[in-house]
Amino acid sequence: MDFTLSEGQYNLVYNSFSFVIASMGAALVFFLLMRSRVAPRHRMALTLSTLVVGIALYHYVRIFGSWSDAFSFTDGRYVQDGEPFNEGYRYVDWLLTVPLLLAELVVVLKLSKNTTRSMLIRLSIAAVAMIALGWPGEVSDPDSTARTLWAVASTIPFIYILYVLFVELGRSLGRQSPSVRKTLDGMRYILLATWGVYPLAYMAPSVIDDAAAAEVARQVGYSIADVLAKPLFGLLVLAIALSKSRDEGYVEAGDDAGADSRVAVPDDAGDLVEA
Amino acid sequence: MDFTLSEGQYNLVYNSFSFVIASMGAALVFFLLMRSRVAPRHRMALTLSTLVVGIALYHYVRIFGSWSDAFSFTDGRYVQDGEPFNEGYRYVDWLLTVPLLLAELVVVLKLSKNTTRSMLIRLSIAAVAMIALGWPGEVSDPDSTARTLWAVASTIPFIYILYVLFVELGRSLGRQSPSVRKTLDGMRYILLATWGVYPLAYMAPSVIDDAAAAEVARQVGYSIADVLAKPLFGLLVLAIALSKSRDEGYVEAGDDAGADSRVAVPDDAGDLVEA
C-alpha cells in the first residue's frame, strides 16, 4: 500500500483520531461521574460502558501515534517513510470491546440469570469469531478474492448477533416498562445502523480505486463508527439504567433535601420550573 | 502562510498556550473537588463544566505540541520548518465543548423537561452549524471574499444562539431566586462579551497586514477567549449550583456535625471564632 497524502487528507484522518480521543476521554469521565446517579444494581452496565471507552481511549492514543509516525511531511505532501501504520490496534480493541458492548445491552435488561449467562456466552463467541474472521481480509490485497471471502465469513457471526438481539432479546421487551422499552427498541436500531458503518469502511479499499482516498475513507469511517458504537451507545445504556433506577425509587444519597424542596415549589410557579 | 516570528512573538503564543493548559487543569481539579458541595440534583451542570475543561485541556496540550513542532529556532528567529501548525484542534474542541457549554447554562436553570430538551437540541444544532461554517473561512486566504462569506454564514447561527439565551431564557429569569437571577443575568453578558473575542481573533488575519503579527494576535485572542468561556464560565455555573443547593437546604454529608459544634462555641469566645 504505497501512496502519499495531501495535507488536507492527512489532517482529516489525524483530526478524526484526535476527535475520537477527546470523545472517549470525555465519555470515560462522564460515566465515572454519573455512577452515583444510578442504583447500585444497575451499575454493572455502566461499568462495562466505562471499560469500553477506556479501552478505546488507550487504543486511539496508540492509533494516533502510529499514524503520525507512519508519515512525514515532505515537499508539501505526507509521504509514508516511517514504520508502517499498525492496523492491528483496531482489531485488538474490538476483540475486547465488542463482547463488552453486547454485554452492556444484555446486562442492563436484568433478564433471568440463566438467560443472561447463555446470551453473554453465545454473543461473546460470535463477536470474537466475527472479528477474527474479519482480520485476514483486512490485511489482504484490496482487490483479492481472499478479502471478499473473509468478509463473507465474518458476516455469518454478525448475522447471528443480529438474530439474538432482534429475535431473542425482542421477546423480553414486553417485560420492560414503557419508557425503557422505547429506548431499548431505538437502541437496537442504532446498534444496527452504527455497526453498518464498519462494513462500509471495511469495503472502502475494494470500492475506491485511489489508494489514498480509500485509506482516508476507511480510517474516518472506522472513527465515526467507533464514536457511535461506544460513547453514544454507552449514553443510551446509561439512559436506560437511570430510567430504571428512577422507576424503582432510587434517590442518590443527599438528594432527599432537594426532593423535599421540589415539593414545596408552588403550582403557580409556571411550567418553566420543574415542580 | 509563510512567515518567521521574533523570539518575543513566538514566546508570547507559546506561553499563552501554557497558561491555558494550567488554567484548564486547575479548573478540572477544582470542579472535581467542589462536586460534593453541590446537591446531587444540581451536579449535572458541574459535570458538564468538568467535561468542557477536560476536553479543552487535552486539546491545548496538543495545540502546544503542534506549535512547538511547527517552528524551529534559527539565527535568532523562529522559522516554520516542521509539520504545519494544526488549526484543526480548535475546531474539533469547539465542536465538542460549545454544545456542552450551552448545556451547562440550560441545565443549571432546572427548567421543565420539555423546555430543557427542546432548547438543548436547538442550541446544539446552532452551535455545530456555527463552528462548521466558520472552519472553511478559517483555512481560506486571509484577504479572500470566501473568508468573509463563511464568517457571515457562521454569524447567523450565532445570532440565533444569542436570541435563545437572551429572549427565550430571559422569560425564565423571573422564576429564579433573586441571588440566582443576579448571577444568571451577569452570566449572559459575560457569555456575550467572551464570545465576542472569538470573531475578533478570527478577523485578525484580514485586518492585520503583517502575517506574523496577525498569527500572534489570532492565537493569543483564541487563548484568552477559551479561558473566559470555559473555566470562568464554569465558575459562574458552579456559583449558581452552590447558591441553589444552599437555598434548598442541602448540607454535605458529615457537615451537620460542624453546624452543631458552631452552636456550642460560647458567646465570649470572641469575634474571631465563627459563631
Side-chain angles (χ1 to χ4, degrees):
Chain A
M1 284 205 308
D2 255 346
F3 52 81
T4 66
L5 296 173
S6 73
E7 198 183 322
Q9 285 178 319
Y10 175 86
N11 278 332
L12 183 58
V13 175
Y14 187 87
N15 286 318
S16 299
F17 290 163
S18 183
F19 167 77
V20 180
I21 293 175
S23 307
M24 297 296 174
L28 180 67
V29 173
F30 186 66
F31 293 153
L32 287 171
L33 292 178
M34 287 302 284
R35 200 167 173 77
S36 58
R37 302 296 296 168
V38 173
R41 63 191 299 263
H42 294 301
R43 278 184 199 159
M44 182 50 99
L46 189 56
T47 302
L48 296 173
S49 308
T50 311
L51 297 184
V52 165
V53 295
I55 295 169
L57 172 63
Y58 163 74
H59 282 118
Y60 268 91
V61 170
R62 291 279 188 210
I63 287 172
F64 182 90
S66 177
W67 181 259
S68 345
D69 290 348
F71 296 89
S72 67
F73 191 63
T74 318
D75 298 332
R77 286 189 73 83
Y78 280 89
V79 186
Q80 291 181 77
D81 66 349
E83 295 189 33
F85 176 66
N86 178 17
E87 201 62 52
Y89 290 129
R90 289 198 188 287
Y91 280 77
V92 174
D93 180 79
W94 294 336
L95 217 50
L96 290 164
T97 56
V98 176
L100 291 172
L101 275 173
L102 292 167
E104 278 175 42
L105 183 57
V106 174
V107 163
V108 83
L109 291 180
K110 288 268 166 205
L111 308 174
S112 79
K113 242 184 182 166
N114 284 341
T115 317
T116 303
R117 190 186 316 159
S118 139
M119 261 194 201
L120 286 184
I121 292 172
R122 286 178 293 135
L123 286 173
S124 298
I125 293 173
V128 170
M130 173 175 81
I131 294 152
L133 292 168
W135 172 244
E138 183 79 82
V139 291
S140 59
D141 197 72
D143 297 315
S144 62
T145 348
R147 193 178 177 90
T148 315
L149 287 178
W150 287 114
V152 171
S154 167
T155 307
I156 298 164
F158 177 57
I159 288 170
Y160 177 73
I161 293 173
L162 292 183
Y163 166 81
V164 174
L165 295 185
F166 279 80
V167 181
E168 279 196 47
L169 221 60
R171 280 188 219 122
S172 91
L173 278 187
R175 286 169 215 122
Q176 308 285 336
S177 78
S179 66
V180 169
R181 192 156 60 221
K182 218 180 122 192
T183 318
L184 262 177
D185 199 42
M187 257 174 92
R188 293 187 306 165
Y189 287 98
I190 286 173
L191 197 73
L192 183 62
T194 61
W195 280 30
V197 182
Y198 290 107
L200 290 179
Y202 186 96
M203 288 187 301
S206 312
V207 178
I208 303 172
D209 276 339
D210 179 55
E215 180 65 4
V216 171
R218 198 160 63 99
Q219 299 303 339
V220 174
Y222 280 147
S223 302
I224 293 171
D226 276 338
V227 169
L228 297 174
K230 284 159 185 162
L232 181 71
F233 190 72
L235 280 178
L236 294 169
V237 168
L238 173 62
I240 292 179
L242 283 170
S243 177
K244 288 192 162 202
S245 302
R246 255 193 310 271
D247 289 353
E248 291 162 13
Y250 171 75
V251 179
E252 188 176 358
D255 218 16
D256 1 7
D260 291 347
S261 80
R262 253 177 285 174
V263 177
V265 173
D267 278 337
D268 59 359
D271 60 353
L272 275 172
V273 176
E274 181 186 318
Chain B
M1 286 206 307
D2 254 347
F3 51 81
T4 66
L5 296 173
S6 73
E7 201 183 322
Q9 285 178 318
Y10 175 85
N11 279 332
L12 183 57
V13 175
Y14 188 88
N15 288 318
S16 300
F17 291 163
S18 183
F19 166 77
V20 180
I21 293 175
S23 308
M24 297 294 174
L28 179 67
V29 174
F30 185 65
F31 293 155
L32 287 171
L33 292 177
M34 288 303 283
R35 200 169 172 77
S36 58
R37 302 295 300 166
V38 172
R41 62 189 299 259
H42 295 301
R43 279 184 200 158
M44 181 52 98
L46 189 56
T47 302
L48 296 173
S49 308
T50 311
L51 295 184
V52 165
V53 294
I55 293 169
L57 173 62
Y58 163 73
H59 282 118
Y60 267 90
V61 169
R62 292 277 189 212
I63 287 172
F64 182 89
S66 178
W67 182 259
S68 346
D69 289 348
F71 295 88
S72 67
F73 192 62
T74 317
D75 298 332
R77 288 190 70 82
Y78 280 90
V79 186
Q80 291 182 78
D81 66 350
E83 293 191 32
F85 176 66
N86 180 17
E87 201 61 54
Y89 290 128
R90 291 199 184 285
Y91 280 78
V92 172
D93 179 77
W94 295 337
L95 217 51
L96 289 163
T97 56
V98 175
L100 291 172
L101 275 173
L102 292 168
E104 277 176 41
L105 182 57
V106 174
V107 163
V108 83
L109 291 180
K110 287 269 166 202
L111 308 175
S112 78
K113 243 186 180 165
N114 285 340
T115 315
T116 303
R117 189 184 317 163
S118 139
M119 261 194 202
L120 287 183
I121 292 172
R122 286 179 294 135
L123 287 173
S124 299
I125 293 173
V128 169
M130 175 175 79
I131 295 152
L133 292 169
W135 171 247
E138 183 79 81
V139 291
S140 58
D141 199 70
D143 297 314
S144 62
T145 348
R147 193 177 177 91
T148 315
L149 287 178
W150 287 113
V152 171
S154 168
T155 307
I156 298 165
F158 177 58
I159 288 170
Y160 177 74
I161 293 173
L162 293 183
Y163 166 82
V164 173
L165 295 185
F166 280 79
V167 181
E168 279 196 47
L169 222 59
R171 280 188 219 123
S172 89
L173 278 187
R175 283 161 210 132
Q176 307 285 338
S177 78
S179 66
V180 169
R181 191 157 60 222
K182 219 180 122 193
T183 319
L184 261 177
D185 200 41
M187 258 174 91
R188 293 186 306 165
Y189 287 98
I190 286 173
L191 196 73
L192 183 61
T194 63
W195 281 28
V197 181
Y198 290 108
L200 291 178
Y202 186 95
M203 287 188 305
S206 311
V207 179
I208 303 171
D209 276 339
D210 178 54
E215 180 67 4
V216 171
R218 198 160 62 100
Q219 299 303 340
V220 173
Y222 280 147
S223 302
I224 293 171
D226 277 337
V227 169
L228 297 173
K230 285 160 183 161
L232 180 70
F233 190 73
L235 281 177
L236 295 169
V237 168
L238 172 62
I240 292 179
L242 283 170
S243 176
K244 288 193 163 202
S245 302
R246 257 194 308 271
D247 289 354
E248 291 163 12
Y250 169 75
V251 179
E252 189 176 355
D255 218 13
D256 4 7
D260 289 346
S261 79
R262 254 174 285 173
V263 177
V265 173
D267 277 338
D268 59 0
D271 60 354
L272 274 174
V273 176
E274 182 185 322

